[in-house]
Amino acid sequence: MPDDAYMINAFDMSKVTGEEPSVQATIERRARVLSPAYRLFYDHPVSFVRAEGVYLYDASGRAYLDAYNNVSSVGHCHPRVVEAICRQAATLNTHTRYATQDILDYTERLLNTLPPTLSKMTYTCSGSEAVDLALRISRRRTGSMGVIVTSNAYHGTTIVAAEISPNLGPLVPLGDYVRAVELPTGDHSREEFGRAFALGVRDAIADLERHGYGLAAFIADSLFSTDGIIPEPAGFLAPIVDVVHEAGGLYIADEVQPGFARTGAAMWGFERHAIVPDLVVMGKPMGNGMPIAGVAARPETLVEFAATARYFNTFAGNSVCIAAANAVLDVIEAEGLMENSRIVGDYLQRGLRTLADASDEIDGVRGIGLYIGVDIVSTTTGAPDPGRAAEMVNAMRERRVLISAMGPHGNVLKIRPPLTFSKANADHFLETLSQVSAILR
């Protein structure tokens, strides 16, 4: 059975060589007690003992620049978030079946960042749970089963979320009720891109109806992160909302990646496309590492689900996670992190394009805010080169800068640092990538 064939940048247990003794011991202990479904990153895994801001530290005190983790979106161990967690844990931590105020204060604040029509929240512990819940709501609302995703989408790890995640590879089959649509390729205007994509969605809807599933929902991450990062042209998703609604389906915006100021252009990724979804899924950066996620909804979408299902999730929306999430909003606002994402993201992209101009293997730079993809290609054929991308990811790791790779071919460098990344951090990153590119050339 293939082990790591369908996870990019995975450590191969059969090739353990030259690890530091403490890391080697940790790898061996993991193998003894943890499920083999778990994976480590990098050819040579790294073990961390603490973190602060945009840095992770190993047992020897060596700092690693984190240009990968959007979970700690406002920086590792941000003191404001840590203080809020500790204070609340020492005061009260309970579930949503008591009439406490903290969840209401946070929910009203969170909903104020969304379009007014999205006025109801349901909390979960993870983005995967939120996707699962959004699909349950969609199916009760529409009476249909069918789901449309993009061709390399990733939406989570529950049974249902995995069945709509082509990115997990052919050993994790899509559900019979799922249709995956390719994004258009090449340079297009917003209108051309939108029309071409809408045509693919229409064809998928017709096929779902032909097979008796109908359309419950279309779901997309508006950055199309695992499809290779396709942020432009902004606005091309607008026709999809109309196509989905005409077929009786709901539009679900998966904001686990683009949400919470990541794009630097808006709080939510879907806003760049001038659309208002029926359901919005959020997670990961919501609590800066604490397990809180959720679904924002138009009230009318919840009627059938609420009438037939009693939803309760023991830990979802608990007092401590709500305190962390509230502190995250505090930090985003107080430290101007949306603006920082825009300014530093633009600066980093300009630097990457300068590197691309001097390199035959860097073929393209795409991104918005602090979510950037860099295409790595063969210098002889120009074809996607996942092997070279993996070499660059691991060479960066050896120089203590952390990134990963992604995309349908595994050749896109994935750059997604905390929103507190500075221009000085960007310079460090660019200098290291330039060194790696030169050494591997």
Side-chain angles (χ1 to χ4, degrees):
M1 182 182 76
D3 183 20
D4 299 314
Y6 300 109
M7 177 178 159
I8 296 169
N9 189 30
F11 169 63
D12 186 346
M13 281 290 294
S14 69
K15 299 178 180 177
V16 180
T17 58
E19 307 302 335
E20 295 180 7
S22 62
V23 176
Q24 177 71 35
T26 300
I27 292 170
E28 291 171 357
R29 288 180 68 197
R30 284 176 62 99
R32 284 196 300 271
V33 301
L34 295 182
S35 164
Y38 284 116
R39 302 290 190 272
L40 287 164
F41 274 155
Y42 306 112
D43 289 346
H44 296 286
V46 60
S47 177
F48 296 120
V49 297
R50 69 179 185 92
E52 182 178 357
V54 298
Y55 292 99
L56 294 155
Y57 296 85
D58 66 16
S60 298
R62 291 171 296 199
Y64 290 70
L65 181 66
D66 187 354
Y68 178 75
N69 282 294
N70 76 325
V71 177
S72 300
S73 61
V74 300
H76 294 279
C77 303
H78 192 289
R80 192 161 185 168
V81 179
V82 172
E83 192 277 331
I85 291 169
C86 294
R87 182 179 66 250
Q88 189 61 50
T91 305
L92 173 72
N93 189 25
T94 189
H95 51 67
T96 57
R97 281 179 164 166
Y98 299 131
T100 54
Q101 298 298 308
D102 53 354
I103 191 172
L104 304 180
D105 294 340
Y106 173 70
T107 301
E108 289 169 351
R109 185 180 184 189
L110 177 66
L111 290 174
N112 281 337
T113 71
L114 291 158
T117 52
L118 293 161
S119 61
K120 297 287 186 182
M121 274 298 301
T122 309
Y123 290 99
T124 65
C125 295
S126 70
S128 295
E129 285 185 354
V131 168
D132 192 286
L133 177 60
L135 291 177
R136 288 178 65 193
I137 292 167
S138 299
R139 286 168 176 167
R140 292 303 302 162
R141 176 66 175 172
T142 65
S144 297
M145 280 288 294
V147 180
I148 297 174
V149 298
T150 51
S151 58
N152 200 49
Y154 171 75
H155 293 293
T157 56
T158 65
I159 290 176
V160 173
E163 286 182 347
I164 66 165
S165 296
N167 176 262
L168 292 175
L171 297 184
V172 182
L174 298 182
D176 293 339
Y177 56 87
V178 179
R179 299 295 180 271
V181 178
E182 294 278 351
L183 287 162
T185 57
D187 293 328
H188 299 280
S189 68
R190 179 183 64 195
E191 292 75 17
E192 291 169 337
F193 201 115
R195 281 195 297 269
F197 192 33
L199 181 61
V201 173
R202 286 186 189 279
D203 288 344
I205 291 170
D207 195 56
L208 286 169
E209 291 176 344
R210 185 179 307 119
H211 287 85
Y213 294 111
L215 179 65
F218 169 91
I219 180 169
D221 153 14
S222 60
L223 285 178
F224 299 93
S225 306
T226 51
D227 288 285
I229 307 181
I230 315 292
E232 304 292 352
F236 76 79
L237 282 172
I240 308 304
V241 178
D242 294 334
V243 170
V244 168
H245 286 169
E246 287 168 9
L250 300 186
Y251 188 107
I252 303 173
D254 185 340
E255 290 289 315
V256 172
Q257 299 284 347
F260 292 96
R262 171 61 52 181
T263 68
M267 187 69 166
W268 305 103
F270 66 79
E271 293 180 271
R272 297 182 60 249
H273 289 274
I275 62 175
V276 179
D278 299 297
L279 299 163
V280 176
V281 173
M282 55 191 76
K284 280 180 181 166
M286 192 173 183
N288 211 51
M290 293 294 285
I292 182 168
V295 180
R298 296 176 184 262
E300 62 271 21
T301 66
L302 300 173
V303 172
E304 291 81 6
F305 180 75
T308 57
R310 183 179 69 251
Y311 178 80
F312 177 64
N313 185 321
T314 304
F315 298 111
N318 73 74
S319 309
V320 172
C321 286
I322 288 290
N326 198 48
V328 166
L329 293 185
D330 287 342
V331 175
I332 289 173
E333 293 174 5
E335 298 186 11
L337 294 188
M338 186 185 303
E339 181 71 357
N340 188 70
S341 182
R342 182 186 66 81
I343 292 171
V344 178
D346 288 349
Y347 180 82
L348 182 53
Q349 286 190 62
R350 288 196 299 272
L352 288 166
R353 291 191 176 100
T354 298
L355 289 181
D357 289 342
S359 171
D360 293 334
E361 65 184 357
I362 300 178
D363 186 53
V365 177
R366 294 180 306 283
I368 184 74
L370 284 170
Y371 206 131
I372 303 169
V374 177
D375 291 333
I376 303 301
V377 300
S378 167
T379 57
T380 54
T381 67
D385 194 339
R388 175 65 78 172
E391 288 178 355
M392 295 180 77
V393 166
N394 281 284
M396 295 285 282
R397 173 259 177 269
E398 294 303 320
R399 288 158 182 79
R400 299 198 292 277
V401 175
L402 305 177
I403 58 172
S404 191
M406 56 175 290
H409 305 288
N411 71 307
V412 183
L413 301 184
K414 183 178 184 179
I415 304 164
R416 186 189 57 176
L419 299 180
T420 51
F421 218 62
S422 67
K423 286 185 177 179
N425 299 143
D427 287 337
H428 177 188
F429 180 91
L430 291 166
E431 181 182 358
T432 306
L433 183 60
S434 178
Q435 292 170 359
V436 164
S437 183
I439 290 168
L440 295 179
R441 190 169 301 148

